Every structure is written in structure tokens, then in C-alpha cells.
Amino acid sequence: MLSTVLNMTSPYFVESTAVITRSGNKTVPRAGLATTLKTRMERRVLRAHVKQEEEDSSVSNQSLGRDASGMNPFRCSSIGQSQAEPDKALSLLPLAPILRRRRGQVKVEYDGKEEPKHWEPPDWSKQLGHVRQMRSARDAPVDLMGAEKCYDTHAPDEVRRYQVLVSLMLSSQTRDQVTSAALQRLRAHGCTVDNIVNTDDDTLGQLIYPVGFWRTKVKYLKQTSVMLQREFRGDIPNTVEGLVRLPGVGPKMAHLAMDIAWHQVSGIGVDTHVHRISNRLGWTRGGTKNPEETRKALEDWLPRDLWSEINWLLVGFGQQVCLPVNPLCSVCLNQHSCPSAHQAKRPKAGSPRSPHSPKTSRVKLEPGSLGLRLPPPSATPVKEESLATTLSCPERGSRKPKPSLHDTTEEGSIPLEMSGPCPNSLSFLPKCALVTSLD
């Protein structure tokens, strides 16, 4: 029932102690009305709390705020309760924790499909089995002259591990045949840390020549040997982090050294063959641009027990079947499942690697391009004997000079040689053509 309390505070009126209700006949003392309103509000709060407890008790067997008999001490037994009991209950209400319903784990269900796993290329296991079958003979250059075959098996363990590291450093941008021959010369000279440190650069360059970038590798070998002698007592580090600190040692060499020298599989050694074949077979998600990205992509899905095997499998496969140029897709067992089968780029006609390009090419030269001043047509022709003494052609079969660190010839340069027999005269000069070999 709505009521209006008249509170006269003016000094001209006497303070009224009555409450006028809508009925107009009933008067209730002010103190009794306040107590009634307060009691009703407390009852509503208690009913809401008791209702919440009843709902929570249906969810959990344990109920908070109950005594041993299972009765709630805060629940009122009668409506006409005293004022002290609600006050006591209200004082304890904020301290009573609210029991919340625990959320169970929600399982995501797919429409008739299992939960998706990590990505892996389709048919990779079948393709790997075909590669194993094609590599069963193990007669590739990496099988006969790789890093596992170059070191001295009778040497002490630290010397053997050092020779494995040296062979890996020399193998960069170099064929296995050239690397094996260079290491054999180093072993005959004495391939130990102390001996390499005491060897001068010119002698070391003659021993490892003609490996790719042999001048740079001479510096790396000397710096690495000095570092091993000072910090590791003549042995190589037994961690990938320690190996990559050495000059000239990258992630591929570090992982291979850990596998061959320490017999610990720390990662996949990815070189140009593994990088190329992995992208051709579709073993890298979206393709990779460099060997380090290929290593991370392969380690993401390839089982760890295959990390040691995958390197020599794909390297030998790339040396014999999956060649960089003109791969032998017609004899490959994966030609029906390989996405790059019969699609490899072939060299353009006229390039040095093209099988249809001629062995020799004619380069037209302008008069005077050889550094000679030819006489004008009206002048007296120069005798061929006098010109022959000016330009001398080296005789065939002459011995190639030994390499020197002061030589200005860079690695990878193709020397121009005269095709055909060496001319005794310069009768070809009037034709203004020079025949050069591009092989």
C-alpha cells in the first residue's frame, strides 16, 4: 500500500505522529510503519537468497551456508520474526560466496570429419618410398665421396670430427669429387688443427685448389682452426649454436656435423638438392625461397626419425635423377604423383647448358679490338710473319700454372681457348672473326 508521510518541520506547526493512508480512517504510528517497511524489504532479500541457494543446490551436492542437519540457518520459520534475526542474516549475506556453475569443456564437432591435424603433403610417404627404391644401390657421388667417407677412420675422435667439419666446409659450391680429392691431399699433408694453423696460406691454397671459392675457404679454415685451438682444445663444438659461431659454417653444415661427427640429430641439413627437390615434390607449403626456409618447412611436418636419412636420400636422388636441368622425369617413379613432373624449365637455346647449342660460336670483332692497329686498305699489307711474332698462341698441352693467392683470376671464370689447331699465322685476321669455345 502506497502511503505518504507528512513531516512538518515548520515551527508554526506541531510535529505530527500520524500517517494518513488512502483509506483515510487508519492511522499507524510512524515508528511502527518504518519497522514494517524495513522488515518487508529484508524478507524479500532473504527470499531471493534462499531461492538462489535452492537453484544452486540442484547443480552441486555441496551447499554453502548449511549446517549438519541440512537446514539453512538464515531461512525464517515464520513471518512474524523479530528484527534481530534479519539483521544478523543480512550481516552475513555479503560473506557467503555465490556458487557458480562450472562450464564443461566444449568439444568442437565437424560435419562427419575428424579434427584437422597439422599440415603434411599428400602422398609424401609413397613418394619417399619411391625415392628409397631408386636410391637402393647407393652409388651416387655423395654415397662414395661424401662427408661420411672422407675422414680418416683410424684417426683419434677429435681429429676425425675435425676432418668431417673441414670436408663440409670445402663441399660448399663444389662437387663431391673435387671435395674428396682436396681432402685426400689435406690428409696426406696432415689434416689436424695444429698442422693447419701452422700451414701458410699459399700452401693451403694449393692443397684445396680447385674447390669453389678456394681463396675464401683458405681464410675460413685458418680462422676456424685458430678458434678451435684456443676455445675448444682442438675439438669441434658439440652444439649447433657453437658450430655456427665458426667462420664459414652455416646451419646446414652445423646440422650435418652434429649428425655425422657427434651422432646427434639436431635438424635437417638442407643444401641445393634438398631445397630443389622438396619444392618440386610439393613438400613445402606454398614453396620456399632459400634452403633455410625449406629446413623449417620440412621440420614442421616430417617425422624426426627421418631427419637424418632425408639429406643423403635427396642429395643422391638429385645427383642421379632429379637433375637441376633436364631432370629424368621419364624414369622417375614419382612422375605420376610429382606436381612438377615434365614441367622443369629447360635452358634456352644458345645458352652454355643447352644441349642444342653449338660447341663453338663466332664472335665478330671490329678492327683494332685486339689492341692492334691495322693498316688502311690502300697501304701496303703487313706481312703475316711480322704479325705472328707480335701475337703468340700458347701451345697445346702446356702445363697449367699452380694457383696463387695473388692471382687475379676469379673462381668460376671461363677461359677462352682457341678451337681447332693452333694457327701459325694470323690469316684469320682479315676475316674479323674469332672462334671461341664455350665449354
Side-chain angles (χ1 to χ4, degrees):
M1 178 182 295
L2 299 176
S3 61
T4 306
V5 181
L6 299 179
N7 187 4
M8 298 298 183
T9 59
S10 175
Y12 299 99
F13 296 92
V14 180
E15 184 176 0
S16 177
T17 59
V19 177
I20 302 176
T21 61
R22 284 191 178 185
S23 60
N25 300 327
K26 191 174 181 180
T27 60
V28 182
R30 180 186 299 177
L33 179 60
T35 305
T36 303
L37 293 176
K38 184 177 181 180
T39 304
R40 289 180 180 177
M41 303 229 4
E42 291 170 352
R43 288 176 181 175
R44 290 179 182 178
V45 174
L46 287 174
R47 290 194 190 101
H49 180 66
V50 171
K51 186 177 180 181
Q52 182 67 27
E53 285 186 348
E54 291 177 354
E55 292 179 355
D56 295 340
S57 62
S58 62
V59 179
S60 176
N61 294 330
Q62 299 177 355
S63 60
L64 300 176
R66 291 183 180 271
D67 55 5
S69 62
M71 299 299 294
N72 195 332
F74 303 131
R75 190 170 183 177
C76 301
S77 59
S78 61
I79 299 177
Q81 61 183 358
S82 62
Q83 184 178 356
E85 292 179 356
D87 294 340
K88 182 179 180 181
L90 288 174
S91 63
L92 296 176
L93 282 178
L95 300 177
I98 300 177
L99 182 63
R100 296 184 179 180
R101 185 179 302 174
R102 295 182 179 179
R103 294 186 59 185
Q105 295 182 357
V106 180
K107 182 179 181 181
V108 180
E109 296 181 359
Y110 298 88
D111 299 335
K113 297 181 181 179
E114 297 181 356
E115 187 176 355
K117 301 180 181 179
H118 66 282
W119 179 87
E120 60 182 24
D123 299 333
W124 71 268
S125 180
K126 183 179 179 181
Q127 294 173 345
L128 183 61
H130 288 163
V131 174
R132 285 197 185 107
Q133 184 176 354
M134 289 182 284
R135 292 276 288 113
S136 58
R138 300 199 65 169
D139 53 354
V142 68
D143 302 320
L144 305 177
M145 293 167 286
E148 297 180 347
K149 304 295 182 181
C150 292
Y151 60 85
D152 186 6
T153 57
H154 302 288
D157 292 341
E158 60 274 8
V159 176
R160 176 179 56 84
R161 288 190 286 264
Y162 175 71
Q163 293 180 1
V164 170
L165 181 62
V166 171
S167 64
L168 291 172
M169 295 176 65
L170 296 180
S171 65
S172 177
Q173 303 293 326
T174 308
R175 295 182 178 181
D176 292 331
Q177 297 88 335
V178 179
T179 303
S180 178
L183 195 62
Q184 294 299 327
R185 293 190 294 268
L186 283 177
R187 286 175 54 183
H189 174 74
C191 189
T192 61
V193 174
D194 298 334
N195 200 8
I196 296 299
V197 170
N198 297 327
T199 304
D200 59 281
D201 293 352
D202 291 337
T203 304
L204 191 59
Q206 294 179 5
L207 290 173
I208 69 173
Y209 182 84
V211 298
F213 305 98
W214 58 275
R215 291 187 183 86
T216 305
K217 292 179 181 180
V218 166
K219 300 178 183 178
Y220 286 159
L221 283 176
K222 294 296 292 291
Q223 296 174 3
T224 298
S225 300
V226 171
M227 190 173 179
L228 294 178
Q229 188 182 51
R230 294 179 179 178
E231 300 184 16
F232 300 96
R233 298 180 180 179
D235 205 347
I236 68 174
N238 58 354
T239 59
V240 177
E241 293 77 11
L243 287 169
V244 295
R245 288 181 53 235
L246 302 175
V249 178
K252 180 202 77 170
M253 302 178 190
H255 290 302
L256 291 178
M258 290 295 298
D259 186 13
I260 301 174
W262 293 106
H263 305 287
Q264 298 178 11
V265 179
S266 59
I268 301 176
V270 178
D271 63 349
T272 179
H273 296 287
V274 180
H275 171 65
R276 179 183 69 254
I277 297 173
S278 298
N279 282 273
R280 285 182 178 178
L281 291 175
W283 286 5
T284 57
R285 193 173 187 177
T288 54
K289 298 180 180 180
N290 53 67
E292 184 62 18
E293 292 182 3
T294 303
R295 180 187 67 83
K296 296 179 180 179
L298 291 177
E299 292 178 357
D300 189 39
W301 64 267
L302 189 67
R304 192 179 182 88
D305 56 348
L306 299 177
W307 289 6
S308 177
E309 178 188 15
I310 198 67
N311 178 267
W312 68 267
L313 271 179
L314 296 186
V315 170
F317 180 64
Q319 292 176 344
Q320 293 180 319
V321 180
C322 195
L323 306 177
V325 182
N326 296 331
L328 307 179
C329 297
S330 58
V331 299
C332 180
L333 299 179
N334 290 323
Q335 58 178 313
H336 301 294
S337 60
C338 178
S340 304
H342 307 285
Q343 296 181 4
K345 296 182 179 180
R346 297 180 178 273
K348 298 181 180 180
S351 64
R353 291 184 175 181
S354 176
H356 303 291
S357 60
K359 294 295 181 180
T360 59
S361 61
R362 292 184 175 272
V363 182
K364 293 184 179 181
L365 300 177
E366 297 294 335
S369 60
L370 293 178
L372 299 177
R373 300 182 61 181
L374 298 179
S378 58
T380 305
V382 182
K383 295 183 179 180
E384 296 180 356
E385 291 78 10
S386 59
L387 290 177
T389 58
T390 306
L391 293 178
S392 61
C393 180
E395 297 182 359
R396 292 185 176 271
S398 59
R399 188 175 181 180
K400 192 174 183 179
K402 293 184 178 180
S404 175
L405 293 177
H406 306 287
D407 189 7
T408 58
T409 305
E410 294 295 335
E411 299 86 350
S413 60
I414 303 176
L416 299 180
E417 299 179 357
M418 306 296 295
S419 64
C422 180
N424 295 326
S425 63
L426 295 180
S427 58
F428 60 92
L429 282 179
K431 298 179 181 179
C432 295
L434 178 65
V435 181
T436 61
S437 173
L438 296 178
D439 290 342

